[in-house]
Amino acid sequence: MSTNDSLQTRDALAVVHGLTNLSAHAQRGASVMQSGKGVWVQDIHGRDYIEAMSGLWCIALGYGNERLADVAHRQMMELAYYPLTNHKSHPRVIELAEKLLSMAPVPMSRIWFASTGSEAIDCAARLSWYFWNALGQPEKKKFISHQLAYHGNTIASASLSGVSYAHEKFNLPLPGFLHVSTPHFSRHAHPGETEDNYSDRLIADIEKLIHKEGAHTIAAFFVEPVMAAGGIVIPPARYYEQLQILLKKHDILLVCDEVVTAFGRTGKMFGSTTMQLQPDLLVCAKALSSAYIPISALMICSRVYEAIERQSGELGLFGLTMTYSGHPVASAVALETLKIYDELHIVDHVQQVGPSLVSGLMNLRSHSLVKEVRGIGLLAGVELAPNYGAKCARIAEEEGLIVRAIGDTIAFCPPMIISELEVRELLKRFTNALNRL
Ligand SMILES: Cc1ncc(COP(=O)(O)O)c(C=O)c1O
């Protein structure tokens, strides 16, 4: 047995994998990746792949970025760790918070830091409760989100997620987490319904739910501007406009989960701008550090922050704390990442190459197995005929292309630094995979 083969076996005997059939894994073993450069990764057998999913929607600057490695090294040597508790701080977290506030898609007041998207979503839920308690409305406790939404996998964020795999046998969702219909026109519209009529119907259903539960019991509505792990779902133009009117009318907070969409992915710096959302709370992660180190951020508007500040003054303490909140090394890497996005004019770049990816995939609509192609910026999904998704992803991997099958939708979310030439190579490999299906 070669060292490389034994790595596959050792993995199966030692590591637990998420979103994986664990029984099948014990038989099949892992695809073990060894190194990466730009949009490319190489496995332990020396085979090259285009990482068309940025890992898990995250390695936005691609692999092997020396500046990010250098800045982490420098920060580790200067001040490897410092907490933010008991009035303590450090320069990098201050600079990062200021930078994020200057970039925010709507005016925001403060930034809370955590390590993962799930944690920051969890904090958004907890801050919503804290906020309504501060306003003397403790009954405002329930949350609404979409079926098929993915908001993470801690207990609260998994409850917000609308996917059965995060709930089944895990005793979730918790009570008070409500899910409404996925805003996916082509899949769920009634025959003859226009996009506007469809949107009106969904909004009317949400209003019925709000009346049934009582607006005085609902704390916040969580949305992903574009639903990523739900299969690249781009809600109809009118949907969010009407939803926001409804939420304002019933005084329900809007939380935008921009864990995937922030920092250029949809062709604007924030998905909230692309989809014209005005959140009270906004969560970002993943591309915040281009996945070089875990860090997430929760942006808090002034109405919410002022209430939080006042209440913590009355209580004598703001009781939320996490050891790695605003970690100096993660903050330094995130700051450098944002600087690189500025220097690369990343939004302009996505606006340039995104259409090549999306239109290239659109050209495949004539293929007999392709049902629908959806895309925005550098985020796209190709929906295949039923039961072809997993097989297609497997064949694509044999063709040297890593994609993700979400049911029968093949998701694409390549590193945002992908070049036109690499987009063409990606399309070629995917077309080969489709033709082999
Ligand atoms: C939209 C969205 N929100 C939240 C999360 C959870 O982030 P994390 O896996 O960093 O906890 C994810 C992860 O994929 C996500 O796609």
Side-chain angles (χ1 to χ4, degrees), residues 7 46 56 62 87 92 96 100 103 117 132 160 162-163 172 178 212 283 307 344-346 375 382 394 407 424 436:
L7 262 181
L56 274 179
H87 309 281
R92 294 299 94 72
L96 179 60
L100 287 171
M103 296 171 75
W132 289 117
L160 284 162
V163 284
L172 294 174
L178 313 169
K212 181 173 145 263
V283 174
L344 292 177
H345 303 287
I346 202 73
V382 176
R394 228 173 17 249
R424 279 205 287 279
R436 278 181 54 201

Side-chain angles (χ1 to χ4, degrees), residues 360 364 367 401 426-436:
L364 299 171
H367 196 285
L401 177 69
L426 179 163
L427 290 167
K428 192 174 105 196
R429 291 177 183 216
F430 183 60
T431 309
N432 290 346
L434 261 189
N435 290 338
R436 278 181 54 201

Side-chain angles (χ1 to χ4, degrees), residues 204-367:
D205 287 347
I206 296 171
E207 183 144 37
K208 263 187 236 151
L209 178 73
I210 294 174
H211 284 309
K212 181 173 145 263
E213 301 288 332
H216 66 289
T217 71
I218 300 171
F221 199 118
F222 282 67
V223 304
E224 293 166 82
V226 173
M227 294 172 70
I232 320 296
V233 178
I234 306 163
R238 213 163 124 132
Y239 177 72
Y240 281 145
E241 184 190 326
Q242 292 175 303
L243 178 65
Q244 291 178 99
I245 294 171
L246 191 64
L247 299 182
K248 281 222 161 52
K249 183 170 143 194
H250 294 289
D251 208 7
I252 295 168
L253 295 176
L254 173 65
V255 185
C256 276
D257 178 345
E258 293 235 27
V259 168
V260 169
T261 52
F263 310 113
R265 179 57 66 187
T266 63
K268 295 262 164 61
M269 191 49 89
F270 287 90
S272 294
T273 310
T274 305
M275 302 307 287
Q276 297 178 6
L277 286 157
Q278 303 203 309
D280 299 293
L281 299 169
L282 185 152
V283 174
C284 52
K286 297 194 191 261
L288 173 56
S289 62
S290 184
Y292 275 63
I293 198 159
I295 181 168
S296 57
L298 167 60
M299 300 182 177
I300 307 167
C301 74
S302 57
R303 179 187 178 214
V304 173
Y305 188 72
E306 281 159 19
I308 289 174
E309 190 184 79
R310 190 167 13 88
Q311 183 164 253
S312 98
E314 288 158 14
L315 294 172
L317 195 69
F318 180 53
L320 195 63
T321 172
M322 287 164 176
T323 303
Y324 299 130
S325 175
H327 191 287
V329 180
S331 302
V333 172
L335 264 174
E336 191 71 6
T337 303
L338 299 180
K339 201 164 155 202
I340 298 173
Y341 291 150
D342 282 346
E343 289 170 18
L344 292 177
H345 303 287
I346 202 73
V347 170
D348 296 345
H349 179 72
V350 171
Q351 283 176 8
Q352 259 164 30
V353 292
S356 309
L357 174 70
V358 175
S359 65
L361 294 173
M362 289 278 180
N363 289 340
L364 299 171
R365 279 179 301 184
S366 53
H367 196 285

Side-chain angles (χ1 to χ4, degrees), residues 56-57 116-119 121 150-152 224 228-229 257 259-260 285-286:
L56 274 179
W57 327 88
T116 65
S118 302
E119 277 179 313
I121 289 285
Y150 188 77
H151 293 297
E224 293 166 82
D257 178 345
V259 168
V260 169
K286 297 194 191 261

